[in-house]
Amino acid sequence: MTGAEHRWIVADPPHTVDGMVDGKSFTGLGYHDHRYGLAPIGLGLRRWMRGRVLFEDRVIAFHAGSARTSEWVDESHVFEVDARGVREHIARPELKWTRWSNAGFRYPSEVRLGDIIQLDEPRILDSSIFQMRLLYRAWVRGHRGTAFCEVAYPRRLRWPILGRIIE
Protein backbone atom coordinates (compact mmCIF):
# COMPACT_ATOMS: atom_id res chain seq x y z
CA MET A 1 0.00 0.00 0.00
CA THR A 2 2.90 2.39 0.61
CA GLY A 3 4.20 2.14 -2.94
CA ALA A 4 7.68 1.04 -1.87
CA GLU A 5 9.48 -1.43 0.33
CA HIS A 6 9.59 -0.54 4.03
CA ARG A 7 11.21 -2.20 7.05
CA TRP A 8 10.56 -2.08 10.77
CA ILE A 9 13.29 -3.34 13.07
CA VAL A 10 12.92 -3.65 16.83
CA ALA A 11 16.48 -2.96 17.99
CA ASP A 12 16.02 -3.29 21.74
CA PRO A 13 13.25 -5.16 23.56
CA PRO A 14 11.68 -3.76 26.73
CA HIS A 15 14.19 -2.37 29.15
CA THR A 16 14.45 0.07 32.03
CA VAL A 17 15.22 3.68 31.16
CA ASP A 18 16.35 6.49 33.43
CA GLY A 19 15.97 10.13 32.60
CA MET A 20 15.39 13.66 33.76
CA VAL A 21 12.61 16.08 32.79
CA ASP A 22 12.47 19.61 34.19
CA GLY A 23 15.11 18.70 36.75
CA LYS A 24 13.19 15.66 38.06
CA SER A 25 14.57 12.14 37.71
CA PHE A 26 12.41 9.25 36.59
CA THR A 27 12.67 5.55 35.83
CA GLY A 28 10.39 3.79 33.39
CA LEU A 29 10.05 1.27 30.59
CA GLY A 30 11.23 1.76 27.04
CA TYR A 31 12.14 0.08 23.81
CA HIS A 32 13.93 1.12 20.65
CA ASP A 33 12.97 0.59 17.00
CA HIS A 34 13.88 1.77 13.51
CA ARG A 35 11.53 2.32 10.56
CA TYR A 36 12.86 3.05 7.12
CA GLY A 37 11.94 2.59 3.50
CA LEU A 38 12.62 3.35 -0.14
CA ALA A 39 9.97 6.09 -0.42
CA PRO A 40 7.77 8.19 1.85
CA ILE A 41 5.37 5.97 3.77
CA GLY A 42 2.29 7.96 2.87
CA LEU A 43 1.94 7.32 -0.86
CA GLY A 44 -0.96 4.86 -0.60
CA LEU A 45 -2.29 5.84 2.81
CA ARG A 46 -5.25 8.00 3.70
CA ARG A 47 -4.57 7.67 7.45
CA TRP A 48 -1.93 5.89 9.49
CA MET A 49 -2.02 4.92 13.15
CA ARG A 50 0.89 3.51 15.10
CA GLY A 51 1.42 2.81 18.75
CA ARG A 52 2.87 0.69 21.49
CA VAL A 53 1.92 -0.83 24.80
CA LEU A 54 4.73 -1.38 27.31
CA PHE A 55 4.50 -4.13 29.90
CA GLU A 56 7.19 -5.11 32.41
CA ASP A 57 8.15 -8.17 30.35
CA ARG A 58 7.13 -7.28 26.77
CA VAL A 59 6.26 -4.62 24.24
CA ILE A 60 3.36 -4.73 21.82
CA ALA A 61 4.08 -2.37 18.90
CA PHE A 62 1.66 -1.94 16.03
CA HIS A 63 0.58 0.12 13.07
CA ALA A 64 -2.58 0.21 10.99
CA GLY A 65 -3.01 1.91 7.65
CA SER A 66 -6.19 3.02 5.92
CA ALA A 67 -5.89 2.72 2.16
CA ARG A 68 -6.23 5.84 0.02
CA THR A 69 -8.23 4.02 -2.66
CA SER A 70 -10.54 1.00 -2.77
CA GLU A 71 -7.94 -0.84 -4.88
CA TRP A 72 -6.01 -1.63 -1.70
CA VAL A 73 -7.19 -3.10 1.58
CA ASP A 74 -6.50 -1.69 5.03
CA GLU A 75 -3.64 -3.46 6.75
CA SER A 76 -1.96 -3.72 10.12
CA HIS A 77 1.07 -5.35 11.68
CA VAL A 78 1.54 -6.17 15.35
CA PHE A 79 4.94 -6.96 16.84
CA GLU A 80 5.21 -8.77 20.15
CA VAL A 81 8.67 -8.31 21.66
CA ASP A 82 9.92 -10.10 24.78
CA ALA A 83 12.86 -12.16 26.03
CA ARG A 84 12.00 -14.89 23.48
CA GLY A 85 12.44 -12.48 20.56
CA VAL A 86 10.20 -10.68 18.06
CA ARG A 87 7.01 -12.18 16.66
CA GLU A 88 5.06 -10.46 13.90
CA HIS A 89 1.31 -10.86 13.50
CA ILE A 90 -0.61 -9.58 10.51
CA ALA A 91 -4.07 -8.72 11.72
CA ARG A 92 -7.20 -7.39 10.11
CA PRO A 93 -7.65 -3.85 11.43
CA GLU A 94 -11.03 -2.70 12.69
CA LEU A 95 -10.94 0.99 13.52
CA LYS A 96 -14.01 3.07 14.30
CA TRP A 97 -13.07 6.55 13.02
CA THR A 98 -15.88 8.33 14.88
CA ARG A 99 -14.09 11.11 16.79
CA TRP A 100 -12.84 14.52 15.59
CA SER A 101 -10.06 16.69 17.00
CA ASN A 102 -10.09 20.50 17.05
CA ALA A 103 -7.60 20.46 14.14
CA GLY A 104 -10.05 18.52 11.96
CA PHE A 105 -8.52 15.08 12.45
CA ARG A 106 -10.66 12.01 12.57
CA TYR A 107 -9.35 9.51 15.07
CA PRO A 108 -10.60 6.12 16.21
CA SER A 109 -12.80 5.74 19.25
CA GLU A 110 -12.08 2.00 19.19
CA VAL A 111 -9.38 -0.14 17.60
CA ARG A 112 -9.22 -3.91 17.24
CA LEU A 113 -6.25 -5.63 15.60
CA GLY A 114 -7.26 -9.25 15.23
CA ASP A 115 -7.58 -11.06 18.54
CA ILE A 116 -4.33 -9.52 19.83
CA ILE A 117 -5.07 -5.96 20.87
CA GLN A 118 -8.08 -3.79 21.53
CA LEU A 119 -8.00 -0.05 22.30
CA ASP A 120 -10.70 2.25 23.66
CA GLU A 121 -11.17 5.39 25.78
CA PRO A 122 -8.89 7.69 23.71
CA ARG A 123 -7.41 10.83 25.24
CA ILE A 124 -5.71 13.43 23.04
CA LEU A 125 -2.27 14.54 24.24
CA ASP A 126 -1.48 16.97 21.42
CA SER A 127 -2.45 17.70 17.85
CA SER A 128 -0.90 19.48 14.88
CA ILE A 129 -2.09 20.01 11.33
CA PHE A 130 -0.81 16.61 10.13
CA GLN A 131 -0.62 14.32 13.19
CA MET A 132 -1.86 13.82 16.72
CA ARG A 133 -0.75 11.86 19.78
CA LEU A 134 -3.18 9.99 21.99
CA LEU A 135 -3.38 7.62 24.93
CA TYR A 136 -5.76 4.66 24.83
CA ARG A 137 -6.81 2.05 27.34
CA ALA A 138 -5.37 -1.16 25.91
CA TRP A 139 -6.32 -4.80 26.27
CA VAL A 140 -3.67 -7.26 25.05
CA ARG A 141 -4.79 -10.87 25.35
CA GLY A 142 -6.62 -10.13 28.60
CA HIS A 143 -3.93 -7.88 30.11
CA ARG A 144 -4.73 -4.22 30.63
CA GLY A 145 -2.27 -1.47 29.77
CA THR A 146 -1.96 1.96 28.23
CA ALA A 147 -1.19 2.51 24.55
CA PHE A 148 0.70 5.56 23.37
CA CYS A 149 -0.41 6.19 19.78
CA GLU A 150 0.06 8.58 16.89
CA VAL A 151 -2.42 9.19 14.10
CA ALA A 152 -1.11 10.82 10.94
CA TYR A 153 -2.52 12.03 7.67
CA PRO A 154 0.55 11.64 5.41
CA ARG A 155 -1.00 13.38 2.39
CA ARG A 156 -1.26 16.61 4.39
CA LEU A 157 2.54 16.73 4.35
CA ARG A 158 2.34 17.27 0.60
CA TRP A 159 0.01 20.26 0.86
CA PRO A 160 1.86 23.11 -0.93
CA ILE A 161 2.26 25.52 1.98
CA LEU A 162 2.39 23.00 4.84
CA GLY A 163 5.05 20.90 3.09
CA ARG A 164 7.29 23.95 2.72
CA ILE A 165 6.82 24.96 6.35
CA ILE A 166 7.79 21.51 7.59
CA GLU A 167 10.85 21.36 5.31
Side-chain angles (χ1 to χ4, degrees):
M1 182 183 348
T2 61
E5 188 171 329
H6 288 85
R7 297 279 186 234
W8 185 3
I9 296 173
V10 177
D12 196 2
H15 58 273
T16 302
V17 295
D18 297 310
M20 186 173 280
V21 176
D22 294 331
K24 296 181 183 177
S25 297
F26 71 90
T27 299
L29 293 174
Y31 95 113
H32 183 83
D33 69 4
H34 297 276
R35 298 168 194 236
Y36 61 94
L38 299 176
I41 196 160
L43 296 177
L45 296 173
R46 179 176 357 136
R47 300 182 280 249
W48 184 45
M49 180 179 191
R50 67 180 182 165
R52 59 202 163 276
V53 183
L54 301 175
F55 293 104
E56 290 288 332
D57 61 343
R58 62 190 164 134
V59 172
I60 306 298
F62 57 90
H63 69 136
S66 294
R68 193 179 71 204
T69 69
S70 60
E71 298 171 22
W72 296 309
V73 296
D74 295 349
E75 64 181 47
S76 71
H77 295 259
V78 179
F79 289 87
E80 204 167 352
V81 185
D82 58 21
R84 296 181 296 157
V86 178
R87 291 171 304 287
E88 179 182 9
H89 309 280
I90 298 174
R92 177 177 165 80
E94 298 174 37
L95 289 81
K96 294 183 179 176
W97 296 91
T98 58
R99 301 266 178 98
W100 290 88
S101 74
N102 291 339
F105 269 116
R106 282 179 81 176
Y107 64 95
S109 58
E110 294 180 28
V111 175
R112 181 183 293 273
L113 303 178
D115 63 352
I116 302 165
I117 187 168
Q118 181 176 346
L119 308 176
D120 60 17
E121 298 184 8
R123 191 176 92 214
I124 297 173
L125 298 175
D126 67 22
S127 182
S128 72
I129 196 123
F130 66 94
Q131 76 173 5
M132 62 190 312
R133 293 183 184 98
L134 306 102
L135 290 179
Y136 283 85
R137 181 177 66 170
W139 298 97
V140 178
R141 297 193 172 125
H143 297 276
R144 184 169 181 236
T146 300
F148 175 76
C149 300
E150 295 171 292
V151 173
Y153 282 71
R155 293 184 70 197
R156 289 187 178 194
L157 293 173
R158 292 192 300 273
W159 285 358
I161 295 172
L162 179 62
R164 288 189 192 119
I165 292 170
I166 292 169
E167 284 179 9

